[in-house]
Amino acid sequence: MVTNGQTWVRGDLFDPNCATRVILDRIGDKWTALVVLRLKDGPRRFTELRDGIGQVAPKVLTQTLRRLERDGLVTREIFAEVPPRVVYALTPMGESLIEPITAVSNWAEEHVPAITRAQEKYDASA
Amino acid sequence: MVTNGQTWVRGDLFDPNCATRVILDRIGDKWTALVVLRLKDGPRRFTELRDGIGQVAPKVLTQTLRRLERDGLVTREIFAEVPPRVVYALTPMGESLIEPITAVSNWAEEHVPAITRAQEKYDASA
DNA sequence: GCTATAAGTACCTTATGGTTACTAATGGCC
DNA sequence: GGCCATTAGTAACCATAAGGTACTTATAGC
């Protein structure tokens, strides 16, 4: 596997110190995927995100957005107005994440009926 | 969107009660993806999984496996021996999850350098 | 002066995750 | 015969993260 000219050996995903695993952990957290999918259709203000993502607590949304900003997946633009206006947008790297996340999301959607059936069967036998 | 002949309306992923979101949440938890990727190469015993996934606590591994079993993604086969032997394996539905999970995992792997750079830049300016 | 507004932060409570120790049942070893 | 090792967990406890609600800052409009 080669990334921009530099040899890049596939790390051991199962090693707790593996960088890939740390990132996978981040992406897979409770809100990150939802925020990225929300920003897919264009930049959004803090309140729009907060109200648009089934009642996420502001504290948690802030944390999630700060992490995304730190990871270079989202930009945060502050307008010096009163009341304040802060606009979040995906970076190109953030946009590149939409495809894999959508793949997982679509998988989930397609398998809702089968999973629900499996759960009912499991619960009935227990 | 149509799934096996039945009309299936794309739910609102941003609604906290959306079934898709619940499943997405499950998939994205800390260990599920790792367990599925571990089982990709064939059935494994409890201890093999525990030792193979960078020191996951047994309690948490049990929880993860029980959820996967309940969701119909993994089978659990107990052999009445002493000491006991329990073998976990992916169901066909579990196998179908490998592809989207791998997509996310590959994305993470490819972007490790860029994310690391972004983090360093962010931390330096703060 | 009073109120509304946006984007948070502070503080407290609850849920989840993590750690370590312990258990059941039997075969092999001394 | 008694003792230890082995596997797949469970139990009890503690740490961390998430969730909920209240508060803050600064200014424009009434």
Side-chain angles (χ1 to χ4, degrees):
Chain A
M1 191 175 206
V2 175
T3 308
N4 52 337
Q6 164 204 16
T7 306
W8 177 254
V9 180
R10 173 170 266 275
D12 181 7
L13 193 57
F14 301 105
D15 181 332
N17 299 318
C18 169
T20 304
R21 177 158 152 184
V22 172
I23 291 172
L24 198 60
D25 222 43
R26 174 83 22 101
I27 296 170
D29 93 347
K30 187 159 187 171
W31 302 105
T32 299
L34 266 347
V35 170
V36 170
L37 290 178
R38 249 314 171 208
L39 290 174
K40 187 183 76 167
D41 301 323
R44 290 281 179 274
R45 302 178 61 169
F46 184 85
T47 320
E48 292 174 316
L49 290 171
R50 190 196 56 197
D51 296 344
I53 299 174
Q55 295 322 312
V56 57
K59 189 191 75 171
V60 179
L61 182 57
T62 300
Q63 281 174 2
T64 305
L65 288 166
R66 286 294 135 78
R67 280 198 290 249
L68 284 168
E69 190 194 357
R70 188 171 105 98
D71 291 348
L73 299 170
V74 154
T75 57
R76 177 167 177 268
E77 195 180 0
I78 308 165
F79 294 87
E81 303 171 0
V82 169
R85 184 157 60 98
V86 179
V87 174
Y88 294 92
L90 290 177
T91 63
M93 180 157 66
E95 280 169 15
S96 75
L97 184 51
I98 289 174
E99 195 186 311
I101 282 186
T102 303
V104 175
S105 167
N106 285 345
W107 184 94
E109 182 129 27
E110 279 165 28
H111 291 82
V112 165
I115 289 176
T116 305
R117 274 196 304 275
Q119 289 176 348
E120 284 165 1
K121 199 175 152 193
Y122 183 94
D123 293 345
S125 70
Chain B
M1 190 173 207
V2 175
T3 308
N4 53 339
Q6 163 204 17
T7 307
W8 178 253
V9 180
R10 173 169 266 275
D12 180 7
L13 194 56
F14 301 105
D15 181 330
N17 298 319
C18 171
T20 304
R21 178 157 152 185
V22 172
I23 291 172
L24 197 59
D25 221 43
R26 175 82 24 98
I27 296 169
D29 93 347
K30 188 160 185 169
W31 303 105
T32 298
L34 267 346
V35 170
V36 170
L37 291 177
R38 249 313 171 208
L39 291 174
K40 187 182 74 167
D41 301 323
R44 291 282 178 271
R45 301 179 62 170
F46 184 85
T47 320
E48 291 174 318
L49 290 170
R50 191 196 56 198
D51 296 344
I53 299 174
Q55 294 322 312
V56 55
K59 187 191 76 170
V60 179
L61 182 57
T62 300
Q63 280 174 2
T64 305
L65 287 167
R66 286 294 137 77
R67 278 198 292 249
L68 284 168
E69 191 193 357
R70 189 172 104 98
D71 291 347
L73 299 169
V74 154
T75 57
R76 176 168 178 267
E77 194 179 0
I78 308 166
F79 294 85
E81 302 170 0
V82 169
R85 184 158 59 98
V86 178
V87 174
Y88 294 92
L90 290 177
T91 63
M93 181 157 66
E95 279 170 15
S96 75
L97 185 52
I98 290 174
E99 196 187 311
I101 282 185
T102 303
V104 174
S105 166
N106 285 343
W107 183 95
E109 182 131 26
E110 279 164 28
H111 291 82
V112 166
I115 289 177
T116 305
R117 275 196 304 276
Q119 289 176 348
E120 283 164 1
K121 200 175 151 191
Y122 182 95
D123 293 345
S125 70

